Amino acid sequence: MKKFSFAPEKDVDVIAVGRIAIDLNPNEIHRTLDKVNTFTKYVGGSPANIAVGLARLGKKVGFIGKVSNDAFGKYVADYFMEKGIDVSHVTPSSDGEVLGLTFTEISSPTESQILMYREGVADLALAPVDISEDYIKRAKFLLISGTALAASPSREACFLAMTYAKKHDTKIIFDIDYRNYTWKSKAEIAVYYSLAGQRSDILMGSREEFELMEMLDKGNDIPDYCLADNYLFHGNQIVIIKHGKKGSLAYSSDRKAYKVGSFSVKLLKSFGGGDAYASAFLYGILEGWQMPTSLEFATASAARVVSSHSCSDAMATAEEIISFIADSNEAGTVIEEIPWNQSIEGGRSCR
Ligand SMILES: Nc1ncnc2c1ncn2[C@@H]1O[C@H](COP(=O)(O)OP(=O)(O)OP(=O)(O)O)[C@@H](O)[C@H]1O
Ligand SMILES: O=C(O)C[C@@H](O)[C@H](O)C(=O)CO
């Protein structure tokens, strides 16, 4: 696939837009939240996790977001600075908006859920006035996280950021990132997700998130490659559809398709894999790696995070990911190029 190229004056690798929140993950696991007494606090929020992942991998990362004007807002901003993430465009909310909280429930060795407190959150108060064209102009990539489209003025801020990105040849990654809070209808979700997806260069999401973007009913038999074609037609360079433990499918504009398995790990929580995957995949693209290498690297990082207690804190260095791959039994067997119409299970769709 043609490698992305960037003007030399672009001195920031990725600017992420969206929520910075706090994860409260249970110290007592394999029980429901009502039976949990203590939690460990981590920085959270999907785009924040991705930003941390990229910074941990040594990339130059910026962030555009709003945080609460209180101790939690200071905590997350300080954490970003400690990780080397630029916070010049992370601003405190002015009308008492709060930081989002996510309680993870690890109810069994195979099941986990999240309970999010997002009423009056600061991240959705991000407004067009907070979006700097000069800042975005400096970035190679702009990461838009789907939940930031769930309400105004954050929605308009994101579309303005994408307009500036297009104007200055900053490539757009749209991580669909669905959280079932704030959205008012399935139609609203589909309209805004598909508008953002059609404007992106790299589009990634779980199969369920693609189905929401296309307003497909559960149990539909639309093949993954058809979902990908919808967006490659609009100019996407890469479309990645994630399938949890089964792995992921990746499609590139040069009509190559890849089936990616997953690495065997002891699952602790099924959250965070997508954020680790996104940060490590984007690292590979920024390094100029070919798709298979970037996809394997991403899958390894994801496996590490789903077997860890945190998301942000568990993000790995390149050396840690490379040694994880080397130590695993699946090294070199996780990724294969497949016919365009092959499904994640291996069958071929007749369309
Ligand atoms: N049980 C597992 N074991 C190993 N790897 C896993 C497991 N679950 C997920 N992964 C890895 O994480 C990747 C992304 O996971 P998933 O499909 O859940 O995405 P997501 O829903 O976007 O994740 P997130 O919870 O971060 O939003 C998968 O493609 C796979 O590589
Ligand atoms: O995405 C969220 O806001 C929750 C995350 O912080 C949490 O770590 C998770 O679910 C990872 O995707």
Side-chain angles (χ1 to χ4, degrees):
M1 194 201 82
K2 184 172 72 72
K3 292 179 184 177
F4 290 97
S5 58
F6 302 99
E9 55 269 20
K10 285 187 177 292
D11 64 327
V12 179
D13 291 312
V14 181
I15 292 176
V17 182
R19 67 186 177 289
I20 312 172
I22 285 180
D23 284 351
L24 292 159
N25 291 356
N27 298 324
E28 299 88 18
I29 61 173
H30 305 160
R31 62 185 73 179
T32 50
L33 274 183
D34 59 310
K35 296 187 172 60
V36 171
N37 296 314
T38 62
F39 296 86
T40 299
K41 168 171 90 345
Y42 303 106
V43 163
S46 183
N49 291 332
I50 297 171
V52 171
L54 281 158
R56 190 96 174 93
L57 288 162
K59 290 305 173 186
K60 190 167 178 186
V61 184
F63 205 96
I64 301 175
K66 262 201 187 309
V67 295
S68 54
N69 192 11
D70 60 18
F72 273 173
K74 183 181 182 307
Y75 158 67
V76 296
D78 288 350
Y79 183 92
F80 264 28
M81 284 189 279
E82 179 203 313
K83 298 297 177 189
I85 299 169
D86 174 57
V87 294
S88 59
H89 291 77
V90 174
T91 53
S93 61
S94 50
D95 295 327
E97 292 90 351
V98 298
L99 208 71
L101 301 179
T102 301
F103 294 85
T104 303
E105 179 178 70
I106 303 174
S107 43
S108 80
T110 56
E111 296 296 321
S112 55
Q113 297 73 236
I114 55 174
L115 170 62
M116 300 178 87
Y117 280 17
R118 289 189 54 73
E119 191 58 40
V121 285
D123 56 87
L124 290 177
L126 185 74
V129 69
D130 301 308
I131 305 299
S132 159
E133 180 173 359
D134 287 343
Y135 192 46
I136 289 174
K137 183 178 178 180
R138 292 174 52 197
K140 297 182 178 79
F141 283 101
L142 176 78
L143 169 76
I144 298 289
S145 188
T147 297
L149 306 180
S152 297
S154 170
R155 179 180 288 164
E156 289 77 11
C158 288
F159 280 102
L160 179 60
M162 286 187 267
T163 299
Y164 290 152
K166 288 282 182 198
K167 183 175 170 184
H168 297 290
D169 198 26
T170 295
K171 303 302 179 189
I172 298 170
I173 312 115
F174 180 52
D175 180 22
I176 303 175
D177 168 49
Y178 173 70
R179 297 287 185 254
N180 67 344
Y181 298 84
T182 320
W183 291 103
K184 293 183 174 57
S185 70
K186 283 185 180 272
E188 185 186 52
I189 296 168
V191 163
Y192 289 109
Y193 274 172
S194 53
L195 278 173
Q198 289 162 13
R199 305 188 78 189
S200 62
D201 298 282
I202 298 176
L203 171 60
M204 53 174 61
S206 65
R207 169 74 198 205
E208 295 74 23
E209 289 168 340
F210 272 86
E211 291 176 347
L212 281 168
M213 186 161 64
E214 295 298 300
M215 278 188 85
L216 295 172
D217 293 332
K218 278 267 173 247
N220 70 83
D221 63 355
I222 305 290
D224 286 65
Y225 77 88
C226 291
L227 298 173
D229 278 335
N230 280 355
Y231 292 90
L232 292 166
F233 172 77
H234 285 283
N236 272 252
Q237 299 293 309
I238 297 169
V239 175
I240 294 174
I241 304 178
K242 297 170 284 185
H243 286 261
K245 186 175 183 180
K246 287 182 190 169
S248 53
L249 290 170
Y251 303 89
S252 52
S253 55
D254 58 353
R255 309 303 289 174
K256 287 190 177 176
Y258 302 92
K259 179 178 176 295
V260 199
S262 59
F263 288 91
S264 305
V265 287
K266 187 173 184 324
L267 178 73
L268 180 58
K269 65 182 185 344
S270 54
F271 293 99
D275 303 342
Y277 189 112
S279 56
F281 179 75
L282 199 44
Y283 172 83
I285 295 298
L286 285 161
E287 289 293 294
W289 295 352
Q290 290 302 315
M291 281 279 280
T293 310
S294 301
L295 290 165
E296 183 184 51
F297 192 75
T299 300
S301 183
R304 285 176 48 98
V305 167
V306 297
S307 54
S308 303
H309 193 252
S310 88
C311 292
S312 53
D313 275 10
M315 293 292 177
T317 63
E319 295 71 23
E320 288 167 336
I321 297 170
I322 289 165
S323 65
F324 173 87
I325 294 171
D327 295 346
S328 84
N329 299 327
E330 294 97 344
T333 63
V334 157
I335 170 92
E336 60 174 316
E337 189 172 342
I338 58 170
W340 192 260
N341 65 346
Q342 184 176 318
S343 70
I344 191 84
E345 284 80 18
R348 293 196 192 182
S349 311
C350 54
R351 290 172 191 263

